[in-house]
Amino acid sequence: MHIDDLAVRQWLQQRMERTENRLQLSRDEQVRILTRLTDAVVSEEFLRKRNFMVQRAFHWKVRKA
C-alpha cells in the first residue's frame, strides 16, 4: 500500500514501529478475541457444509425430474 501524504505516512510508521505492530492485550482480551475467531471459523464451516448439502439435494431433485 502506498500513502502519498507524508504526514500520514510518518504518523503510521512511527506508530507501527514503536510497538513493532503488536498490541498489549490483557489475558481476558486475548481469550475474548480467540473465542470470537473460533466462533467465526465454526460458523463458516457450518455454512459451507450446509451449502454443500443444499446443492447436493438440489442436484438430486434436478436429476430425478
Side-chain angles (χ1 to χ4, degrees), residues 50-65:
R50 181 174 176 193
N51 187 36
F52 173 76
M53 296 304 288
V54 168
Q55 288 177 350
R56 188 173 174 188
F58 179 74
H59 176 73
W60 283 105
K61 286 181 183 179
V62 170
R63 283 185 74 181
K64 289 181 179 180

Side-chain angles (χ1 to χ4, degrees), residues 1-22:
M1 175 174 75
H2 179 72
I3 301 173
D4 288 326
D5 188 340
L6 182 59
V8 172
R9 188 173 16 171
Q10 288 174 341
W11 175 82
L12 187 59
Q13 187 175 16
Q14 289 171 354
R15 183 174 172 155
M16 292 176 75
E17 288 180 355
R18 184 173 3 131
T19 62
E20 296 181 356
N21 207 22
R22 293 184 178 267

Side-chain angles (χ1 to χ4, degrees), residues 32-45:
R32 182 182 59 81
I33 291 169
L34 180 60
T35 301
R36 293 194 63 188
L37 287 172
T38 305
D39 290 347
V41 169
V42 169
S43 297
E44 288 176 357
E45 184 68 15

